[in-house]
DNA sequence: TTCCATGGTTACCTTGAGGTGCCTACTTGA
DNA sequence: TCAAGTAGGCACCTCAAGGTAACCATGGAA
């Protein structure tokens, strides 16, 4: 009935690991943007509202080391660099797309929760049990 | 062809918001555990390897404020408290289950990436472009 | 000869998420 | 009278994620 198996949510649980990977602030966004096709850094910055140059480079460097992203340099001037997904990266689109699809269908609910989250960072029970 | 729409990944993008919600360390795990049925804190701690008492309470309190989790107190002694998902919480199972399912099918890939991640926290280009 | 665009690197700093430990309150049982 | 189990609050601390800003190298345009 419930859709999730009873597997322990332990440190070696792949679900937990995946969430840990995807919880790095710019990772899902970057994979998402690159899923639209190979991109130059400038373009990526334009599409990822709010990312700084440092975080862009850093996250790309990480994804590169993980084998998720490929960096291609064209030896011209001014420098021309392009980032694209590796086959492994292409695979990672799927879970992101799944979440994306769900998020689109449940905008209102997310907005509701997200609003609550913003207004009460410090946890506080709103209505006290009597 | 590509499964993700061209919607900007901006601050109001529900996908981004959802990832932000789910990236809180214990949130997916807690929703997952509660998806197995209402649970008492002791039981939850047992199932969520590594969570501290403080983080359990804090995360539960947050989820409660967001309307995702319901807290029920039975006035007996010793105290008996139970946490369960609200209808909204039940809805949130779905994206988590989707990621969960994908993670199960792609354990090896995740392990590969996750391993890389652990060995190189500080980003460093492994092979230099010549 | 100064400026711009490109793609980075580096040092520095702040913030807050998350961890540890100790305290309370209640009642039952040894 | 003291321990133990239950639920949780509170103070404190640390580490690292992530932000800002300045700097470098290059060559063509103005």
């Amino acid at each position: 009935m419930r859709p999730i198996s009873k597997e322990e949510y332990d440190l070696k649980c792949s679900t937990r690991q995946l969430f840990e990977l995807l919880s790095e602030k710019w990772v899902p966004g970057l994979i998402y943007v690159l899923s639209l096709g190979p991109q130059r850094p400038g373009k990526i910055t334009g599409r990822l509202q709010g990312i700084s140059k440092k975080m862009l480079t850093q996250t790309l460097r990480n994804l590169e080391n993980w084998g998720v992203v490929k960096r291609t340099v064209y030896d011209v001037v001014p420098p021309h660099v392009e980032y694209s997904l590796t086959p492994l990266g292409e695979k990672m689109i799927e879970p992101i797309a799944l979440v994306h699809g769900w998020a689109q269908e449940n905008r209102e609910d997310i907005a509701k929760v997200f609003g609550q989250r913003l207004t009460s960072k410090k946890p506080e029970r709103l209505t006290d049990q009597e």
Side-chain angles (χ1 to χ4, degrees), chain A:
Chain A
M1 181 180 304
R2 304 272 182 173
I4 303 187
S5 78
K6 293 228 177 191
E7 179 198 24
E8 285 297 307
Y9 193 72
D10 69 17
L11 293 169
K12 288 182 187 148
C13 166
S14 50
T15 305
R16 184 158 169 179
Q17 293 179 335
L18 182 55
F19 270 118
E20 205 168 319
L21 292 173
L22 294 181
S23 77
E24 230 154 281
K25 184 167 183 183
W26 299 104
V27 165
L30 256 176
I31 298 182
Y32 152 66
V33 166
L34 290 181
S35 80
L36 303 174
Q39 314 261 331
R40 307 181 55 179
K43 195 75 172 289
I44 299 176
T45 306
R47 295 212 206 232
L48 267 184
Q49 189 183 84
I51 194 171
S52 68
K53 247 162 46 156
K54 181 193 139 189
M55 288 314 295
L56 178 66
T57 314
Q58 183 173 309
T59 310
L60 281 170
R61 220 50 86 230
N62 280 332
L63 291 174
E64 204 186 340
N65 289 340
W66 305 350
V68 168
V69 155
K70 181 160 161 285
R71 179 172 181 269
T72 313
V73 184
Y74 299 92
D75 198 8
V76 294
V77 77
H80 184 123
V81 179
E82 216 173 61
Y83 291 93
S84 54
L85 294 178
T86 63
L88 182 54
E90 296 279 342
K91 268 186 117 174
M92 302 276 295
I93 299 177
E94 207 186 332
I96 296 175
L98 291 172
V99 172
H100 176 75
W102 190 91
Q104 293 310 302
E105 288 166 21
N106 296 272
R107 302 176 154 285
E108 283 80 13
D109 286 330
I110 297 172
K112 214 184 306 170
V113 176
F114 199 74
Q116 279 304 320
R117 202 185 80 100
L118 295 181
T119 55
S120 69
K121 292 293 277 191
K122 286 292 154 217
E124 189 174 337
R125 201 168 297 129
L126 297 180
T127 58
D128 254 15
Q129 258 66 23
E130 61 291 308

